[in-house]
Amino acid sequence: MTTTTTLSHAKDGEAPVFYLTEEHDHDGHSTVIGFWIFLMSDVLLFCGLFAIYAWLGGHYANGPSPLDDGHGGQLFHLPVVAVNTVIMLASSFICALAMVETRKGNVGPALKWFGLTALFGVAFLYNQVTEYGHMAEIGATYQTSAFLSCFITLIIAHSFHVLTGIVWVAILAVQVLQHGLNPANERRAVCFSMFWNFIDITWVCVFIFVYLMGVLR
Amino acid sequence: MSNDSHAGHADAHAQEHADVDGLGYGSLQSYQVGLGLAALLSALAFGLVAIGGIGSIQATAIVLLAIAIARVVVHLVYFLRVKSSAEGGWTMVTTVFTLMVVVIAMVGSIWIMLHQEINMMPAPGTETFRGQ
C-alpha cells in the first residue's frame, strides 16, 4: 500500500488523520456564561424599548391614556397587573424549587415543579391576552398613538419571551423524560431557570416603570 | 503520588462545580429569602400607588425607582446568585458592563429627547413629555 502523505510520522497502511475522527461531547463548561452573555444582550434590547417608552409614553395624541380609556374607565387595570406580578414571582420561586430537585437528581419532583412553572406562565399569558384583547375592543391599538405603539411593542416583546419560556420548558420536559437528568439536561435546566428569572426581572421593570408610574402621570 | 494528583484533580473538579453553582443554582433558603423580599418590595410599590403616592409625583417616582432597583438586585442576588466569584468573575464583568451601557442609553436618551421636546412647538391640544 502506498500513501500520498508527506507527513514523516504517518506509517504505511494508515491513512493520515487531519481531524478528530470522533467529536467528543463538549463539557458544557462555557454554556452557562455564554447564555448569561445572551441574556445581557437581551437586557440591551429591552433597554431600547424602555428608553423609547420613556420618551413617547406621554404622547397620547388625544387618544386613550393610562387613566382614561375614552370610555369612562382606566386603560391600565392595576388589579390585573398585581395578579400578574404575583403569578410571575410565584413562578420564579417554583422554578427555583424545580432547580433544587434537579440538583438532587429527582426527575419526578423536578418535572412536577417545571410543569407548574409553565402553567403559571400560561396563566400570565392568558391575563395578558385578555387585557390587550379588551384594549383592542375599545380601539386602543398600536396604531392609535405613539404611547400605545411603544407600550404594545414593549408588552408583546415581554409576552413573547414568556411564550418562548413555556415552549422551552415543554421541550426540556420531553428530553428529561427520554434521557433523565443527565449533565446535558441539567445544563439546559440551569439555562432555563436563568431565562425565566430574566423574564421576571423584565416584568418588574414593566409593572413599575410602565404601569405604576403611568398611573402617576 | 498518583493519589495526590487524583486528590488535586478532585479539588479542581469541586472548584469547577462550585463555579457552576454560582449561576442558576442556590439553596432553598436563599430562594425563600428572595421570595419574601421580592413580595415585600412589590407590595410596597403597589401600596404606594394605591394610597396615591407621597407628596409630589417626582418624590413618588423616585421611591418607585428605588424599589425597582432593589427588586432587581434581590432577584440577581437571591435567585440568580450573581456574585464576583462565579465563572471566574466573567458574570460580574458582563453584568456591570451591561448595566453601564443601560444607564448611558437610558439617561442619554431621556436627556436628549426631553430637550428636543422642550424646543418643539407643542401642537394644540396634545400632551407633551411633561404633561403640559
Side-chain angles (χ1 to χ4, degrees):
Chain A
M1 292 272 285
T2 56
T3 58
T4 56
T5 180
T6 55
L7 288 174
S8 59
H9 56 77
K11 292 175 191 135
D12 273 354
E14 273 182 35
V17 175
F18 299 109
Y19 53 90
L20 287 172
T21 45
E22 199 169 316
E23 292 274 345
H24 59 88
D25 276 353
H26 86 118
D27 58 5
H29 182 71
S30 53
T31 304
V32 173
I33 183 68
F35 192 73
W36 182 259
I37 291 171
F38 158 72
L39 285 183
M40 290 301 106
S41 70
D42 229 12
V43 167
L44 297 181
L45 168 88
F46 276 102
C47 171
L49 293 174
F50 275 108
I52 295 166
Y53 185 82
W55 168 32
L56 293 174
H59 290 231
Y60 307 133
N62 290 331
S65 69
L67 287 174
D68 175 22
D69 65 359
H71 294 76
Q74 291 193 0
L75 194 66
F76 287 180
H77 299 116
L78 286 192
V80 178
V81 179
V83 167
N84 269 350
T85 304
V86 171
I87 289 175
M88 262 290 135
L89 180 58
S91 75
S92 269
F93 183 67
I94 290 166
C95 183
L97 292 180
M99 289 316 294
V100 170
E101 296 298 340
T102 301
R103 190 185 212 177
K104 289 180 189 161
N106 299 334
V107 174
L111 282 178
K112 185 183 75 183
W113 293 123
F114 275 131
L116 208 55
T117 305
L119 210 63
F120 273 66
V122 170
F124 178 89
L125 278 186
Y126 174 79
N127 276 343
Q128 293 290 74
V129 169
T130 315
E131 191 70 357
Y132 301 110
H134 172 69
M135 280 189 187
E137 268 175 24
I138 61 167
T141 64
Y142 71 98
Q143 289 176 316
T144 309
S145 63
F147 152 66
L148 281 169
S149 296
C150 58
F151 169 71
I152 288 172
T153 307
L154 181 57
I155 292 301
I156 286 179
H158 179 263
S159 293
F160 185 72
H161 276 77
V162 177
L163 184 65
T164 310
I166 294 168
V167 172
W168 184 347
V169 80
I171 294 170
L172 180 68
V174 170
Q175 284 183 323
V176 169
L177 279 174
Q178 283 181 342
H179 306 291
L181 283 168
N182 57 18
N185 279 343
E186 196 175 330
R187 202 163 60 228
R188 289 166 189 146
V190 170
C191 287
F192 169 76
S193 81
M194 283 157 64
F195 185 71
W196 198 260
N197 276 294
F198 167 74
I199 292 172
D200 192 357
I201 289 176
T202 317
W203 177 251
V204 168
C205 296
V206 170
F207 92 74
I208 290 186
F209 295 130
V210 175
Y211 286 99
L212 293 184
M213 287 193 181
V215 170
L216 281 182
R217 281 192 204 216
Chain B
M1 185 61 199
S2 79
N3 213 6
D4 274 4
S5 74
H6 186 76
H9 181 75
D11 273 0
H13 191 76
Q15 182 60 44
E16 194 180 291
H17 205 74
D19 282 349
V20 171
D21 284 2
L23 270 178
Y25 278 127
S27 65
L28 185 59
Q29 198 188 3
S30 87
Y31 294 143
Q32 284 165 340
V33 172
L35 178 70
L37 285 175
L40 193 71
L41 287 166
S42 304
L44 211 61
F46 275 100
L48 191 66
V49 173
I51 62 167
I54 45 159
S56 62
I57 286 176
Q58 277 82 3
T60 314
I62 287 168
V63 174
L64 281 179
L65 179 68
I67 291 174
I69 291 170
R71 177 80 152 70
V72 171
V73 168
V74 162
H75 228 95
L76 288 176
V77 171
Y78 292 98
F79 282 102
L80 280 167
R81 314 289 294 165
V82 175
K83 50 189 174 191
S84 53
S85 63
E87 299 286 348
W90 280 107
T91 313
M92 201 56 134
V93 170
T94 49
T95 309
V96 169
F97 176 73
T98 308
L99 292 180
M100 202 173 73
V101 174
V102 166
V103 168
I104 292 170
M106 289 299 291
V107 173
S109 305
I110 293 169
W111 186 27
I112 291 169
M113 296 325 292
L114 202 75
H115 277 75
Q116 190 229 12
E117 296 268 323
I118 290 167
N119 292 327
M120 291 276 277
M121 190 189 288
T126 56
E127 291 182 73
T128 62
F129 194 93
R130 287 183 162 174
Q132 287 155 349

mmCIF file of all heavy atoms in Angstrom, chain B residues 68-98:
data_model
loop_
_atom_site.group_PDB
_atom_site.id
_atom_site.type_symbol
_atom_site.label_atom_id
_atom_site.label_comp_id
_atom_site.label_asym_id
_atom_site.label_seq_id
_atom_site.Cartn_x
_atom_site.Cartn_y
_atom_site.Cartn_z
ATOM 1 N N ALA B 68 -37.745 49.515 42.395
ATOM 2 C CA ALA B 68 -37.459 48.703 41.207
ATOM 3 C C ALA B 68 -36.016 48.209 41.241
ATOM 4 O O ALA B 68 -35.743 47.026 40.998
ATOM 5 C CB ALA B 68 -37.719 49.509 39.943
ATOM 6 N N ILE B 69 -35.081 49.106 41.566
ATOM 7 C CA ILE B 69 -33.666 48.716 41.602
ATOM 8 C C ILE B 69 -33.451 47.656 42.690
ATOM 9 O O ILE B 69 -32.791 46.642 42.463
ATOM 10 C CB ILE B 69 -32.771 49.951 41.844
ATOM 11 C CG1 ILE B 69 -32.811 50.859 40.603
ATOM 12 C CG2 ILE B 69 -31.332 49.542 42.142
ATOM 13 C CD1 ILE B 69 -32.173 52.212 40.797
ATOM 14 N N ALA B 70 -34.069 47.885 43.881
ATOM 15 C CA ALA B 70 -33.925 46.924 44.977
ATOM 16 C C ALA B 70 -34.476 45.555 44.578
ATOM 17 O O ALA B 70 -33.856 44.520 44.847
ATOM 18 C CB ALA B 70 -34.644 47.443 46.219
ATOM 19 N N ARG B 71 -35.629 45.563 43.886
ATOM 20 C CA ARG B 71 -36.279 44.314 43.487
ATOM 21 C C ARG B 71 -35.403 43.549 42.484
ATOM 22 O O ARG B 71 -35.274 42.322 42.576
ATOM 23 C CB ARG B 71 -37.641 44.654 42.887
ATOM 24 C CG ARG B 71 -38.434 43.506 42.353
ATOM 25 C CD ARG B 71 -39.132 42.745 43.464
ATOM 26 N NE ARG B 71 -40.345 42.115 42.966
ATOM 27 C CZ ARG B 71 -40.361 41.091 42.135
ATOM 28 N NH1 ARG B 71 -39.249 40.585 41.707
ATOM 29 N NH2 ARG B 71 -41.511 40.576 41.731
ATOM 30 N N VAL B 72 -34.798 44.279 41.541
ATOM 31 C CA VAL B 72 -33.918 43.629 40.556
ATOM 32 C C VAL B 72 -32.680 43.062 41.255
ATOM 33 O O VAL B 72 -32.256 41.937 40.976
ATOM 34 C CB VAL B 72 -33.526 44.623 39.436
ATOM 35 C CG1 VAL B 72 -32.443 44.027 38.544
ATOM 36 C CG2 VAL B 72 -34.747 44.993 38.595
ATOM 37 N N VAL B 73 -32.122 43.827 42.208
ATOM 38 C CA VAL B 73 -30.934 43.360 42.924
ATOM 39 C C VAL B 73 -31.268 42.106 43.744
ATOM 40 O O VAL B 73 -30.502 41.130 43.748
ATOM 41 C CB VAL B 73 -30.369 44.484 43.827
ATOM 42 C CG1 VAL B 73 -29.320 43.931 44.783
ATOM 43 C CG2 VAL B 73 -29.756 45.587 42.970
ATOM 44 N N VAL B 74 -32.445 42.109 44.415
ATOM 45 C CA VAL B 74 -32.872 40.930 45.176
ATOM 46 C C VAL B 74 -32.918 39.711 44.261
ATOM 47 O O VAL B 74 -32.431 38.627 44.598
ATOM 48 C CB VAL B 74 -34.264 41.169 45.824
ATOM 49 C CG1 VAL B 74 -34.913 39.855 46.239
ATOM 50 C CG2 VAL B 74 -34.133 42.090 47.024
ATOM 51 N N HIS B 75 -33.484 39.909 43.049
ATOM 52 C CA HIS B 75 -33.591 38.797 42.097
ATOM 53 C C HIS B 75 -32.217 38.302 41.666
ATOM 54 O O HIS B 75 -31.969 37.105 41.586
ATOM 55 C CB HIS B 75 -34.406 39.231 40.888
ATOM 56 C CG HIS B 75 -35.447 38.247 40.538
ATOM 57 N ND1 HIS B 75 -36.747 38.339 40.963
ATOM 58 C CD2 HIS B 75 -35.374 37.114 39.823
ATOM 59 C CE1 HIS B 75 -37.415 37.313 40.526
ATOM 60 N NE2 HIS B 75 -36.604 36.549 39.828
ATOM 61 N N LEU B 76 -31.320 39.241 41.376
ATOM 62 C CA LEU B 76 -29.977 38.857 40.920
ATOM 63 C C LEU B 76 -29.221 38.117 42.018
ATOM 64 O O LEU B 76 -28.522 37.140 41.762
ATOM 65 C CB LEU B 76 -29.187 40.097 40.491
ATOM 66 C CG LEU B 76 -29.608 40.762 39.178
ATOM 67 C CD1 LEU B 76 -28.802 42.031 38.952
ATOM 68 C CD2 LEU B 76 -29.407 39.818 38.006
ATOM 69 N N VAL B 77 -29.375 38.585 43.271
ATOM 70 C CA VAL B 77 -28.578 38.027 44.364
ATOM 71 C C VAL B 77 -29.164 36.713 44.877
ATOM 72 O O VAL B 77 -28.447 35.721 45.017
ATOM 73 C CB VAL B 77 -28.457 39.046 45.519
ATOM 74 C CG1 VAL B 77 -27.808 38.396 46.744
ATOM 75 C CG2 VAL B 77 -27.645 40.250 45.066
ATOM 76 N N TYR B 78 -30.502 36.687 45.129
ATOM 77 C CA TYR B 78 -31.081 35.519 45.784
ATOM 78 C C TYR B 78 -31.569 34.448 44.828
ATOM 79 O O TYR B 78 -31.591 33.272 45.173
ATOM 80 C CB TYR B 78 -32.214 35.931 46.735
ATOM 81 C CG TYR B 78 -31.718 36.710 47.920
ATOM 82 C CD1 TYR B 78 -31.782 38.099 47.947
ATOM 83 C CD2 TYR B 78 -31.138 36.050 49.002
ATOM 84 C CE1 TYR B 78 -31.306 38.807 49.033
ATOM 85 C CE2 TYR B 78 -30.658 36.749 50.092
ATOM 86 C CZ TYR B 78 -30.746 38.136 50.095
ATOM 87 O OH TYR B 78 -30.260 38.833 51.168
ATOM 88 N N PHE B 79 -31.998 34.832 43.610
ATOM 89 C CA PHE B 79 -32.476 33.821 42.664
ATOM 90 C C PHE B 79 -31.391 33.435 41.664
ATOM 91 O O PHE B 79 -31.159 32.264 41.414
ATOM 92 C CB PHE B 79 -33.719 34.313 41.921
ATOM 93 C CG PHE B 79 -34.978 34.215 42.728
ATOM 94 C CD1 PHE B 79 -35.530 35.326 43.324
ATOM 95 C CD2 PHE B 79 -35.605 32.997 42.896
ATOM 96 C CE1 PHE B 79 -36.684 35.238 44.081
ATOM 97 C CE2 PHE B 79 -36.768 32.891 43.651
ATOM 98 C CZ PHE B 79 -37.309 34.019 44.242
ATOM 99 N N LEU B 80 -30.731 34.424 41.066
ATOM 100 C CA LEU B 80 -29.748 34.105 40.033
ATOM 101 C C LEU B 80 -28.353 33.883 40.607
ATOM 102 O O LEU B 80 -27.481 33.367 39.930
ATOM 103 C CB LEU B 80 -29.716 35.218 38.983
ATOM 104 C CG LEU B 80 -30.843 35.124 37.955
ATOM 105 C CD1 LEU B 80 -30.939 36.398 37.158
ATOM 106 C CD2 LEU B 80 -30.615 33.958 37.006
ATOM 107 N N ARG B 81 -28.130 34.298 41.857
ATOM 108 C CA ARG B 81 -26.856 34.055 42.531
ATOM 109 C C ARG B 81 -25.675 34.651 41.763
ATOM 110 O O ARG B 81 -24.651 33.999 41.568
ATOM 111 C CB ARG B 81 -26.607 32.547 42.734
ATOM 112 C CG ARG B 81 -27.798 31.779 43.262
ATOM 113 C CD ARG B 81 -28.134 32.070 44.661
ATOM 114 N NE ARG B 81 -27.099 31.620 45.598
ATOM 115 C CZ ARG B 81 -27.026 32.010 46.858
ATOM 116 N NH1 ARG B 81 -27.897 32.876 47.315
ATOM 117 N NH2 ARG B 81 -26.084 31.567 47.654
ATOM 118 N N VAL B 82 -25.839 35.876 41.294
ATOM 119 C CA VAL B 82 -24.719 36.553 40.644
ATOM 120 C C VAL B 82 -23.751 37.009 41.726
ATOM 121 O O VAL B 82 -24.134 37.716 42.648
ATOM 122 C CB VAL B 82 -25.195 37.779 39.832
ATOM 123 C CG1 VAL B 82 -24.007 38.533 39.260
ATOM 124 C CG2 VAL B 82 -26.108 37.330 38.718
ATOM 125 N N LYS B 83 -22.525 36.547 41.649
ATOM 126 C CA LYS B 83 -21.510 37.001 42.610
ATOM 127 C C LYS B 83 -20.173 37.088 41.898
ATOM 128 O O LYS B 83 -19.992 36.524 40.819
ATOM 129 C CB LYS B 83 -21.442 36.078 43.819
ATOM 130 C CG LYS B 83 -21.321 34.616 43.486
ATOM 131 C CD LYS B 83 -21.493 33.770 44.734
ATOM 132 C CE LYS B 83 -21.527 32.294 44.375
ATOM 133 N NZ LYS B 83 -21.931 31.439 45.446
ATOM 134 N N SER B 84 -19.243 37.796 42.521
ATOM 135 C CA SER B 84 -17.990 38.107 41.822
ATOM 136 C C SER B 84 -17.178 36.857 41.516
ATOM 137 O O SER B 84 -16.391 36.847 40.577
ATOM 138 C CB SER B 84 -17.167 39.087 42.654
ATOM 139 O OG SER B 84 -16.999 38.578 43.950
ATOM 140 N N SER B 85 -17.385 35.763 42.265
ATOM 141 C CA SER B 85 -16.552 34.579 42.061
ATOM 142 C C SER B 85 -17.076 33.676 40.941
ATOM 143 O O SER B 85 -16.353 32.845 40.415
ATOM 144 C CB SER B 85 -16.466 33.778 43.356
ATOM 145 O OG SER B 85 -17.748 33.319 43.716
ATOM 146 N N ALA B 86 -18.370 33.831 40.546
ATOM 147 C CA ALA B 86 -18.972 32.917 39.578
ATOM 148 C C ALA B 86 -18.300 33.030 38.218
ATOM 149 O O ALA B 86 -18.035 34.132 37.741
ATOM 150 C CB ALA B 86 -20.470 33.193 39.450
ATOM 151 N N GLU B 87 -18.012 31.888 37.595
ATOM 152 C CA GLU B 87 -17.401 31.812 36.255
ATOM 153 C C GLU B 87 -16.138 32.660 36.166
ATOM 154 O O GLU B 87 -15.906 33.375 35.195
ATOM 155 C CB GLU B 87 -18.401 32.247 35.175
ATOM 156 C CG GLU B 87 -19.655 31.394 35.084
ATOM 157 C CD GLU B 87 -19.395 30.037 34.449
ATOM 158 O OE1 GLU B 87 -18.303 29.850 33.886
ATOM 159 O OE2 GLU B 87 -20.272 29.175 34.542
ATOM 160 N N GLY B 88 -15.323 32.599 37.206
ATOM 161 C CA GLY B 88 -14.060 33.324 37.200
ATOM 162 C C GLY B 88 -14.221 34.825 37.087
ATOM 163 O O GLY B 88 -13.347 35.509 36.574
ATOM 164 N N GLY B 89 -15.374 35.343 37.552
ATOM 165 C CA GLY B 89 -15.578 36.793 37.550
ATOM 166 C C GLY B 89 -16.214 37.324 36.275
ATOM 167 O O GLY B 89 -16.581 38.500 36.219
ATOM 168 N N TRP B 90 -16.367 36.475 35.256
ATOM 169 C CA TRP B 90 -16.911 36.962 33.976
ATOM 170 C C TRP B 90 -18.367 37.368 34.071
ATOM 171 O O TRP B 90 -18.822 38.274 33.388
ATOM 172 C CB TRP B 90 -16.721 35.906 32.879
ATOM 173 C CG TRP B 90 -15.324 35.931 32.356
ATOM 174 C CD1 TRP B 90 -14.337 35.014 32.590
ATOM 175 C CD2 TRP B 90 -14.742 36.948 31.529
ATOM 176 N NE1 TRP B 90 -13.181 35.411 31.974
ATOM 177 C CE2 TRP B 90 -13.399 36.588 31.317
ATOM 178 C CE3 TRP B 90 -15.225 38.126 30.973
ATOM 179 C CZ2 TRP B 90 -12.533 37.365 30.554
ATOM 180 C CZ3 TRP B 90 -14.360 38.894 30.214
ATOM 181 C CH2 TRP B 90 -13.041 38.520 30.011
ATOM 182 N N THR B 91 -19.126 36.683 34.931
ATOM 183 C CA THR B 91 -20.534 37.042 35.112
ATOM 184 C C THR B 91 -20.639 38.473 35.601
ATOM 185 O O THR B 91 -21.399 39.287 35.081
ATOM 186 C CB THR B 91 -21.177 36.113 36.152
ATOM 187 O OG1 THR B 91 -20.827 34.784 35.836
ATOM 188 C CG2 THR B 91 -22.663 36.271 36.166
ATOM 189 N N MET B 92 -19.828 38.774 36.623
ATOM 190 C CA MET B 92 -19.860 40.104 37.217
ATOM 191 C C MET B 92 -19.425 41.151 36.196
ATOM 192 O O MET B 92 -20.061 42.198 36.052
ATOM 193 C CB MET B 92 -18.914 40.111 38.434
ATOM 194 C CG MET B 92 -19.204 41.217 39.415
ATOM 195 S SD MET B 92 -20.891 41.182 39.993
ATOM 196 C CE MET B 92 -20.638 41.387 41.721
ATOM 197 N N VAL B 93 -18.346 40.856 35.453
ATOM 198 C CA VAL B 93 -17.816 41.813 34.477
ATOM 199 C C VAL B 93 -18.868 42.130 33.413
ATOM 200 O O VAL B 93 -19.155 43.298 33.130
ATOM 201 C CB VAL B 93 -16.530 41.255 33.814
ATOM 202 C CG1 VAL B 93 -16.119 42.127 32.646
ATOM 203 C CG2 VAL B 93 -15.415 41.159 34.827
ATOM 204 N N THR B 94 -19.509 41.069 32.857
ATOM 205 C CA THR B 94 -20.500 41.297 31.796
ATOM 206 C C THR B 94 -21.717 42.032 32.355
ATOM 207 O O THR B 94 -22.282 42.889 31.683
ATOM 208 C CB THR B 94 -20.948 39.966 31.165
ATOM 209 O OG1 THR B 94 -21.297 39.062 32.207
ATOM 210 C CG2 THR B 94 -19.850 39.365 30.320
ATOM 211 N N THR B 95 -22.113 41.696 33.606
ATOM 212 C CA THR B 95 -23.278 42.348 34.201
ATOM 213 C C THR B 95 -23.014 43.831 34.426
ATOM 214 O O THR B 95 -23.835 44.681 34.064
ATOM 215 C CB THR B 95 -23.645 41.679 35.536
ATOM 216 O OG1 THR B 95 -23.732 40.278 35.340
ATOM 217 C CG2 THR B 95 -24.964 42.197 36.062
ATOM 218 N N VAL B 96 -21.850 44.145 34.995
ATOM 219 C CA VAL B 96 -21.522 45.548 35.258
ATOM 220 C C VAL B 96 -21.429 46.324 33.949
ATOM 221 O O VAL B 96 -21.947 47.444 33.826
ATOM 222 C CB VAL B 96 -20.202 45.652 36.069
ATOM 223 C CG1 VAL B 96 -19.705 47.089 36.118
ATOM 224 C CG2 VAL B 96 -20.406 45.118 37.473
ATOM 225 N N PHE B 97 -20.808 45.705 32.929
ATOM 226 C CA PHE B 97 -20.693 46.367 31.628
ATOM 227 C C PHE B 97 -22.083 46.654 31.044
ATOM 228 O O PHE B 97 -22.361 47.761 30.566
ATOM 229 C CB PHE B 97 -19.884 45.494 30.665
ATOM 230 C CG PHE B 97 -19.806 46.048 29.275
ATOM 231 C CD1 PHE B 97 -19.024 47.153 28.996
ATOM 232 C CD2 PHE B 97 -20.551 45.486 28.245
ATOM 233 C CE1 PHE B 97 -18.961 47.680 27.718
ATOM 234 C CE2 PHE B 97 -20.494 46.012 26.970
ATOM 235 C CZ PHE B 97 -19.705 47.114 26.701
ATOM 236 N N THR B 98 -22.977 45.627 31.118
ATOM 237 C CA THR B 98 -24.327 45.809 30.573
ATOM 238 C C THR B 98 -25.061 46.926 31.303
ATOM 239 O O THR B 98 -25.701 47.774 30.670
ATOM 240 C CB THR B 98 -25.123 44.496 30.692
ATOM 241 O OG1 THR B 98 -24.346 43.454 30.122
ATOM 242 C CG2 THR B 98 -26.451 44.594 29.985
#
